[in-house]
Amino acid sequence: ELKVEQNPLFLSMQEGKNYTIYCNYSTTSDRLYWYRQDPGKSLESLFVLLSNGAVKQEGRLMASLDTKARLSTLHITAAVHDLSATYFCKSSGGSNYKLTFGKGTLLTVNP
Amino acid sequence: DGGITQSPKYLFRKEGQNVTLSCEQNLNHDAMYWYRQDPGQGLRLIYYSQIVNDFQKGDIAEGYSVSREKKESFPLTVTSAQKNPTAFYLCASSIWGSGANVLTFGAGSRLTVL
C-alpha cells in the first residue's frame, strides 16, 4: 500500500527565513506533485516532478525529487507572508490513478 | 475560461437524507475524481472515473455513489449510509495516460449534517 508522509505537518516561520518541507513515499514512483491550498479554498498545482533529479523553481519555492531515496523536498527561500498556506505532496505510486496525497504541511509565515 | 464548477458551495443535510454534489468540467479531460477532505486528514479518494460510463472505487467509497453519463459531468451522491458525511468535498479532473497527470480542482463543496 502506497503511503506518503510529509513533515513537518505544522511549520511556523519568520519572514526572511529559509526552510524545507519533506515528502517521503513508500513505493516506487516516477512522478511527484506539489499543490498549494489557501484556507477555505481549493488546491492549485505548484510543481510536477517527472524524473529522478528533477528540480523546479518558481519564485521563492523550489522542489526537487530523488526517486532512489523516495524523497521530494519543497524548499522555501526568504519566506514572505503570502506563502502562508497548506502544501500537499502527491505521489503516483507507479500507477495512474492511485494518486495518494500526503496529509499536508500548514505553513504560517509571521512578520 | 476552462475549469471545473462544483455546486452547491455549501450544503446542509439532515440525517437520513441523500444529497448530490454536482461537478462539471469543460477542460475536455477524460478522468474525473472525487476527494474528501477532513481537518488534519489530507485528501482521501472516494471515486474516480477514466472514461464515460465507467468508474472505480477509491479508498473510502462506502456510503457514496457516482455516475459518469457524460464526459463533462461526474456527480457524487452522499447517501444516508455514510455515517459521518460532514466534510469538504473536492472534485478534480485530469488528462489520462502517460505523462504528467496534473489535477485541476473545483472550488469545493462544504457539506454539513445537522
Side-chain angles (χ1 to χ4, degrees), chain A residues 60-97:
Chain A
R60 302 174 187 274
L61 299 177
M62 183 174 71
S64 65
L65 178 62
D66 182 344
T67 58
K68 294 180 181 178
R70 297 179 184 171
L71 171 69
S72 179
T73 60
L74 181 65
H75 186 72
I76 303 153
T77 302
V80 293
H81 180 69
D82 287 351
L83 290 179
S84 296
T86 300
Y87 293 86
F88 291 93
C89 66
K90 176 166 62 69
S91 172
S92 64
S95 166
N96 208 3
Y97 54 90

Side-chain angles (χ1 to χ4, degrees), chain A residues 31 33 35 37 42 48 96-97, chain B residues 37 48 99 101 103 105-106:
Chain A
R31 282 167 280 172
Y33 308 78
Y35 292 83
Q37 184 179 35
S42 189
V48 182
N96 208 3
Y97 54 90
Chain B
Q37 186 175 29
Y48 66 98
N101 298 98
L103 297 179
F105 284 87

